[in-house]
Amino acid sequence: PSLFSSGLASQVSEKLMLEFNFNRIQWSAFEELPFIFPETPENDKEINQSYTNTSQYRFGAEYQAKDELALRAGFVLDETPQPDTVMGPILPDSDRKGFSIGLGYEMGNATIDFYNLFLFLEDREIRDNQDGFNGDYSSFTNLFGFGLTYRF
């Protein structure tokens, strides 16, 4: 889907930067999910999705604790594009709130970054799914990662 994004960052003090980012996502372009089986085309199927356009809001902060150490934190509010009628186990989704923490450490020409994102998805009670996948859906995601940058 296409995406409109706008952001703003402000260095509010020598050590603290605050950021805000807004995304508008054109999920309405995702109208159906095709399943194509070249060996058995009689099993081909298109599942209606009818996603709606959504917004995403991101807030972040970076604190330069030392010359070589940056501490980071963030929050994201992400709306689901998925109507109840198509919510199911194939592509489960819901509104979500995420909290992140991280740090960056510089060592000469190299920087190593670590992060952890805790993503809380709203519980959904689905009673009118078009394919009969009614039920109660609950999710939590914990994403951890790191990056290594080397400047030549």
Side-chain angles (χ1 to χ4, degrees):
S2 61
L3 167 75
F4 168 80
S5 186
S6 179
L8 177 64
S10 177
Q11 190 76 42
V12 296
S13 74
E14 184 180 326
K15 294 184 176 244
L16 181 64
M17 181 177 0
L18 299 177
E19 301 176 25
F20 170 74
N21 180 259
F22 170 78
N23 294 318
R24 183 71 180 163
I25 305 141
Q26 189 182 6
W27 281 110
S28 59
F30 186 42
E31 296 175 359
E32 54 194 27
L33 179 62
F35 289 91
I36 300 169
F37 302 95
E39 300 296 321
T40 55
E42 65 274 9
N43 292 325
D44 290 359
K45 183 176 183 177
E46 292 180 352
I47 299 176
N48 174 45
Q49 293 301 301
S50 301
Y51 276 28
T52 58
N53 298 334
T54 63
S55 297
Q56 184 184 76
Y57 310 88
R58 298 176 182 215
F59 303 90
E62 180 178 86
Y63 181 74
Q64 198 69 41
K66 296 182 177 183
D67 287 345
E68 68 278 0
L69 179 64
L71 304 175
R72 301 180 185 114
F75 173 77
V76 61
L77 177 62
D78 190 8
E79 301 170 340
T80 183
Q82 191 177 58
D84 285 355
T85 55
V86 299
M87 168 65 180
I90 294 174
L91 296 172
D93 194 27
S94 68
D95 291 344
R96 58 192 132 216
K97 294 178 181 104
F99 300 91
S100 62
I101 55 173
L103 63 88
Y105 189 78
E106 288 191 33
M107 302 165 286
N109 288 347
T111 303
I112 189 163
D113 294 290
F114 294 94
Y115 72 86
N116 204 135
L117 171 63
F118 307 94
L119 200 55
F120 299 88
L121 286 80
E122 248 180 48
D123 293 346
R124 290 183 76 176
E125 295 178 6
I126 304 302
R127 302 295 178 254
D128 60 350
N129 178 275
Q130 66 188 7
D131 296 314
F133 292 122
N134 297 317
D136 297 336
Y137 292 83
S138 179
S139 296
F140 168 77
T141 302
N142 184 12
L143 303 168
F144 174 79
F146 70 94
L148 178 63
T149 303
Y150 187 82
R151 291 172 293 284
F152 295 94

